[in-house]
Amino acid sequence: MSLRQDETTASSSNRRERCEKLALRIRNAEYLINFYKSEIQRDSDEYREIGNERVRARIENGVLRHQPAMDDADLKRRKEDLRQRVAQAERDINEQSQVLARAREEATLIGCR
């Protein structure tokens, strides 16, 4: 093999390796974005349910029994915790979206499939 063929083979191997790493980075970012979205949905659902905490009841042997509710301070702390978790997940989604965009752009520039 000539030196030129060795360089071409090495370049092709390097490009293929970079494409594989980029594909992994893209899949990882997409997975994390979906994970954070499901976390936001779950926390948002719980946040909305906290308003109904006082009216929760269950029927036991045909009798309506009110379930004990958390006190106001506990509810407020939980709502604040959920609000902060949603805000952090939104920041994480933004960060992963930037990672995803950069990886896709780099993959396009070097000609990955």
Side-chain angles (χ1 to χ4, degrees):
M1 269 190 167
S2 72
L3 184 58
R4 186 87 158 141
Q5 287 174 324
D6 287 345
E7 288 175 359
T8 302
T9 303
S11 175
S12 176
S13 176
N14 184 33
R15 186 175 149 272
R16 187 172 35 256
E17 188 177 308
R18 284 180 61 199
C19 286
E20 288 171 1
K21 287 181 180 180
L22 286 168
L24 182 60
R25 193 180 314 160
I26 288 168
R27 280 194 305 273
N28 207 19
E30 289 171 340
Y31 170 81
L32 287 171
I33 288 169
N34 288 330
F35 173 78
Y36 293 136
K37 284 180 179 179
S38 68
E39 289 286 301
I40 288 172
Q41 183 62 50
R42 185 183 50 109
D43 290 344
S44 295
D45 290 347
E46 184 178 343
Y47 186 90
R48 280 190 295 281
E49 284 297 314
I50 288 178
N52 300 330
E53 193 69 29
R54 293 180 176 279
V55 295
R56 283 216 178 133
R58 59 189 158 100
I59 297 177
E60 194 173 282
N61 296 328
V63 178
L64 186 67
R65 305 239 186 239
H66 290 282
Q67 293 179 333
M70 299 165 72
D71 67 17
D72 284 342
D74 288 340
L75 290 174
K76 286 179 183 175
R77 274 193 297 278
R78 183 65 186 148
K79 280 186 93 163
E80 180 59 24
D81 178 52
L82 289 168
R83 189 194 64 72
Q84 288 177 5
R85 286 173 47 130
V86 166
Q88 180 62 50
E90 287 171 345
R91 287 190 294 274
D92 292 341
I93 285 174
N94 288 337
E95 180 182 323
Q96 289 304 314
S97 294
Q98 291 173 5
V99 167
L100 181 60
R102 284 192 303 268
R104 284 181 174 161
E105 182 180 343
E106 186 177 344
T108 300
L109 288 174
I110 64 172
C112 299
R113 285 183 232 149

